[in-house]
Amino acid sequence: MQVPVTPRPLTAEERAVVERVLRADFAGAAELRQQLDEARVVALWGARSVSVDLHVMGDAPRARIPSGPAPVTCTVVDEGGELVGEILLWTASGMLSGLEYAWFGDQPPASLPRVDRMVTP
């Protein structure tokens, strides 16, 4: 259930996670990086969810990629190196539109992962 919020800049934690994903080299990454300063959180994916909807304000360049998850794989591992989830950056019409922490297990995460637990090719 989506929970609208007053549009706000990304928190330091949210921004660090998005920046970590966007360090990967894939088509559209440069444009998505340029959108980051203008990205605003506009909704939570649930009352206690760490996943958020984004809206890019201003005239940032559009990435030439299809709408949907950005074409990058970013997995999340625990202290022992076990796979515990993945991070997805969503786009709509070439603009950042969501940050999702898809976790594996029964309990949703209370926070986004630390960037040193995120793995991209």
Side-chain angles (χ1 to χ4, degrees), residues 13-90:
E13 180 182 49
E14 291 163 342
R15 186 176 179 106
V17 167
V18 174
E19 286 175 338
R20 174 64 183 92
V21 174
L22 293 177
R23 284 194 329 221
D25 185 25
F26 62 91
E31 292 83 2
L32 296 177
R33 283 191 290 272
Q34 292 178 48
Q35 297 172 17
L36 197 49
D37 286 338
E38 300 299 322
R40 298 292 178 265
V41 172
V42 295
L44 307 176
W45 287 23
R48 295 187 181 122
S49 178
V50 298
S51 298
V52 296
D53 282 340
L54 303 173
H55 178 75
V56 177
M57 313 298 277
D59 295 327
R62 291 182 185 274
R64 297 181 64 154
I65 56 176
S67 294
V72 60
T73 301
C74 182
T75 56
V76 179
V77 296
D78 66 13
E79 298 79 18
E82 295 294 318
L83 185 64
V84 295
E86 65 182 319
I87 297 293
L88 299 164
L89 282 183
W90 290 87

Side-chain angles (χ1 to χ4, degrees), residues 68-120:
V72 60
T73 301
C74 182
T75 56
V76 179
V77 296
D78 66 13
E79 298 79 18
E82 295 294 318
L83 185 64
V84 295
E86 65 182 319
I87 297 293
L88 299 164
L89 282 183
W90 290 87
T91 64
S93 301
M95 305 301 273
L96 289 168
S97 66
L99 168 61
E100 177 182 3
Y101 185 3
W103 75 94
F104 307 144
D106 296 331
Q107 294 298 318
S111 63
L112 289 168
R114 295 185 351 217
V115 295
D116 66 341
R117 300 278 182 233
M118 297 169 57
V119 180
T120 55

